[in-house]
Amino acid sequence: MQRNLAWNIIRVRETGSTNSDLVRLASEGKADEGTVIVAESQTAGRGRQGRVWVSRPGAGLYFSILLKPDAPPAQVATLPLAAGVAVAKALERLLPGRRFSIKWPNDIVADRKKLCGILCEAGEKEGGRYVVAGVGINVNIDVDALPPELTEIATSLKMLSGREFGTSSVLAAVLKSLEEVYRLWLIGGIPAIVSELESRDYLRGRRVEMRLLGTPVSGTACGIAETGALLLRRDDGAIEEIYSGEAHIGSAG
Ligand code: BTN
């Protein structure tokens, strides 16, 4: 029987990184599943692939959630995909009529621009796996307040809808959706939610370039496998199943 997650929300005005804070607590055995740290701003917000996540006060929602899935390691590796589905569904409820895309594995995209990024970090404490899922959503930032290098590639809920959102209501929507998607994923694994991922697949049909164990590969994204892997059709027709990495959209994509 699956129990409901008991959220324990810790709010801070400013921190370095909510992910770093929660990873530290989890690795010390000092936080339970359902612990959430939400910060008004981060001075050292971290993105995937070692990037910086700019986290100014009033611009976005920055939070991390601790999950302790009782699931085999191969399934735990797919939790970042489930997190992306949960956030996309929450944002769709907040902006009725809008459908968000997911750029594999879990960037949330609207109008070809990034709205939300998710950084999942896994660890082990006393034989139990934990995952810290860190979510950064651009909420009330306007285009002229974005750092110049982001104006062409980032968007916000306000830019998409013309209105402001309370960060607490955005957080509540994401937690509710995560609870639902997490339950499905615990019972059925990624096959239970893969259709939600496929129907929002941003990369499908686009030229994609990535590195596999340091080797550059390119091809056309052609869907998501039942396992959650990104399917890439190489130019020689071979289909590659990709389980991790960063997909860059090629010049013809
Ligand atoms: C990405 O797209 O590169 C992932 C960005 C993740 C940013 C969030 S903000 C809250 C949490 N704390 C961090 O330091 N990073 C994540």
Side-chain angles (χ1 to χ4, degrees):
M1 234 236 332
Q2 301 299 331
R3 63 206 148 68
N4 282 346
L5 283 169
W7 301 118
N8 170 25
I9 301 177
I10 302 167
R11 293 177 189 277
V12 296
R13 199 171 58 76
E14 182 180 279
T15 187
S17 155
T18 56
N19 258 45
S20 301
D21 294 345
L22 200 47
V23 166
R24 192 179 56 250
L25 288 179
S27 66
E28 292 169 351
K30 291 182 179 161
D32 293 325
E33 179 169 63
T35 303
V36 180
I37 302 183
V38 53
E40 282 174 33
S41 66
Q42 300 181 116
T43 53
R46 295 187 291 113
R48 297 176 68 230
Q49 311 281 323
R51 286 186 302 260
V52 168
W53 188 262
V54 179
S55 312
R56 296 192 195 129
L61 173 62
Y62 320 109
F63 65 98
S64 301
I65 301 167
L66 179 61
L67 297 170
K68 299 187 178 181
D70 183 10
Q75 183 179 340
V76 175
T78 67
L79 188 50
L81 302 169
V85 168
V87 176
K89 293 184 79 155
L91 297 178
E92 286 164 8
R93 283 179 194 154
L94 288 169
L95 270 75
R98 192 173 262 278
R99 187 89 169 159
F100 290 98
S101 301
I102 300 176
K103 176 176 172 281
W104 187 95
N106 56 19
D107 284 349
I108 311 297
V109 175
D111 297 348
R112 298 175 74 114
K113 295 179 176 178
K114 182 159 165 172
L115 173 65
C116 163
I118 302 174
L119 171 67
C120 289
E121 298 180 289
E124 210 172 302
K125 175 71 181 167
E126 285 153 9
R129 300 285 296 166
Y130 66 81
V131 176
V132 170
V135 182
I137 304 174
N138 300 325
V139 179
N140 290 325
I141 193 161
D142 287 306
V143 66
D144 48 11
L146 282 171
E149 67 279 12
L150 297 184
T151 53
E152 294 298 319
I153 56 172
T155 189
S156 71
L157 290 177
K158 184 177 179 191
M159 286 160 63
L160 293 168
S161 67
R163 69 181 181 92
E164 298 214 335
F165 289 79
T167 49
S168 298
S169 56
V170 179
L171 176 63
V174 173
L175 296 183
K176 180 171 187 292
S177 178
L178 184 71
E179 183 144 9
E180 294 162 3
V181 173
Y182 186 54
R183 189 179 299 123
L184 287 175
W185 175 89
L186 276 173
I187 297 167
I190 206 71
I193 55 165
V194 77
S195 64
E196 302 278 12
L197 198 55
E198 274 188 303
S199 62
R200 295 175 179 82
D201 182 4
Y202 180 67
L203 293 176
R204 194 182 188 99
R206 295 185 196 273
R207 285 291 299 176
V208 164
E209 292 163 5
M210 33 198 325
R211 297 189 82 82
L212 286 188
L213 301 171
T215 308
V217 294
S218 60
T220 303
C222 59
I224 310 286
E226 188 76 358
T227 54
L230 175 68
L231 298 172
L232 194 67
R233 184 181 295 108
R234 305 284 296 266
D235 295 335
D236 64 4
I239 306 277
E240 193 102 50
E241 289 199 9
I242 296 173
Y243 287 90
S244 69
E246 179 88 352
H248 299 279
I249 295 177
S251 43

